[in-house]
Amino acid sequence: MEERSMIDLHGIVKRFYVGKANELEILHGIDLNVRQGEFVSIVGASGSGKSTLMNIIGVLDRPTEGSYILDGVDVAKARDNELSDLRNRKIGFVFQTYNLIGRTSALKNVELPMLYGKMDRKKRRERAKELLEMVGMSDRLYHKPDELSGGQKQRVAIARAMANEPAIILADEPTGALDSETGRIIMDLFHKLNKEQKKTIILITHSGELAEETQRIITIKDGVITGEREGSIQCLS
């Protein structure tokens, strides 16, 4: 039986400064379907539109035209508060710059999405500890970001992304600020989450080498999808 669709984009157009003389169209009719449990990469150079597309997939922005169904929910018809709730429950974000809160511990950084989700304090602390253990950071629970290496920060960020048990992990250049050895650890973590927890993972990257590690490679250029092919590593089993 074929896996159900998690992300279904059809005819997605994104314009900025709509109706003004300097109106700018970044995405020109994107069609993209991602099935539950897939590990997909979106590859493109700087300025290709991949960040704009990521913002739409992550419900951080709305398309100007087109339809987006996210795990059965019509994003165009949802109110802002519904989208915020959807984003918090369905999507875990991992960014190149980590986006951790500097003055607080790894543990509290991981607890934060659960706090927004109104989870009981004891439960969220227990889950945060479990998640940090899962990413190999149980000995750094009370360290602040400035006391951690880049790779350690990214592992905390992955633990935080998993806090509300999202169906989808959206990773934007997650190894971009890391050396190759540390980047390897981070990619192995994504493979583990995809294989063992069946997480749907979308990797946004400019690296063809990293993209090869995913099941499907989507190439975007000048705001349109120009190619799609299988990665060379279908499953790490």
Side-chain angles (χ1 to χ4, degrees), residues 16-17 30 91 94 96 98 123 132 151 158 169 192 218:
F16 294 94
Y17 321 115
I30 298 283
I91 305 170
V94 181
Q96 178 177 346
Y98 323 121
K123 282 184 184 173
L132 285 164
I158 291 170
I169 295 176
K192 185 177 178 182
I218 312 291

Side-chain angles (χ1 to χ4, degrees), residues 13-27 61-65:
V13 171
K14 181 61 185 179
R15 298 188 192 100
F16 294 94
Y17 321 115
V18 176
K20 297 180 181 177
N22 58 343
E23 181 174 287
L24 184 64
E25 187 170 294
I26 303 294
L27 300 178
D61 200 0
R62 291 179 187 257
T64 310
E65 292 175 19

Side-chain angles (χ1 to χ4, degrees), residues 27-190:
L27 300 178
H28 316 296
I30 298 283
D31 295 332
L32 177 63
N33 185 275
V34 179
R35 295 182 304 279
Q36 183 179 19
E38 266 198 294
F39 192 166
V40 175
S41 54
I42 297 174
V43 184
S46 179
S48 62
K50 66 182 190 296
S51 294
T52 303
L53 180 57
M54 186 209 77
N55 286 341
I56 288 171
I57 292 171
V59 201
L60 296 166
D61 200 0
R62 291 179 187 257
T64 310
E65 292 175 19
S67 69
Y68 178 18
I69 309 297
L70 172 59
D71 198 17
V73 176
D74 188 337
V75 169
K77 293 178 180 173
R79 294 190 300 269
D80 285 347
N81 62 326
E82 292 172 327
L83 291 182
S84 179
D85 182 57
L86 187 69
R87 199 163 48 236
N88 200 40
R89 287 185 298 105
K90 293 281 183 191
I91 305 170
F93 294 91
V94 181
F95 300 98
Q96 178 177 346
T97 51
Y98 323 121
N99 286 20
L100 300 176
I101 294 171
R103 295 184 301 277
T104 193
S105 68
L107 189 65
K108 287 191 174 175
N109 266 285
V110 176
E111 281 186 59
L112 198 58
M114 295 179 274
L115 180 64
Y116 291 145
K118 298 181 170 59
M119 186 184 287
D120 166 81
R121 184 177 182 273
K122 186 168 180 279
K123 282 184 184 173
R124 71 173 184 257
R125 179 138 295 205
E126 285 172 4
R127 177 153 176 77
K129 285 181 178 178
E130 286 170 9
L131 288 167
L132 285 164
E133 184 175 359
M134 179 192 77
V135 299
M137 290 291 290
S138 55
D139 59 340
R140 296 284 191 276
L141 299 182
Y142 303 105
H143 287 62
K144 293 176 182 173
D146 64 3
E147 299 169 323
L148 302 173
S149 69
Q152 288 170 335
K153 288 177 194 173
Q154 198 58 295
R155 282 190 269 170
V156 173
I158 291 170
R160 182 187 57 190
M162 295 292 295
N164 286 331
E165 299 191 55
I168 301 160
I169 295 176
L170 200 52
D172 184 16
E173 301 282 8
T175 65
L178 306 174
D179 62 72
S180 57
E181 187 178 339
T182 310
R184 174 74 268 145
I185 292 167
I186 298 305
M187 284 301 292
D188 286 346
L189 260 176
F190 285 129

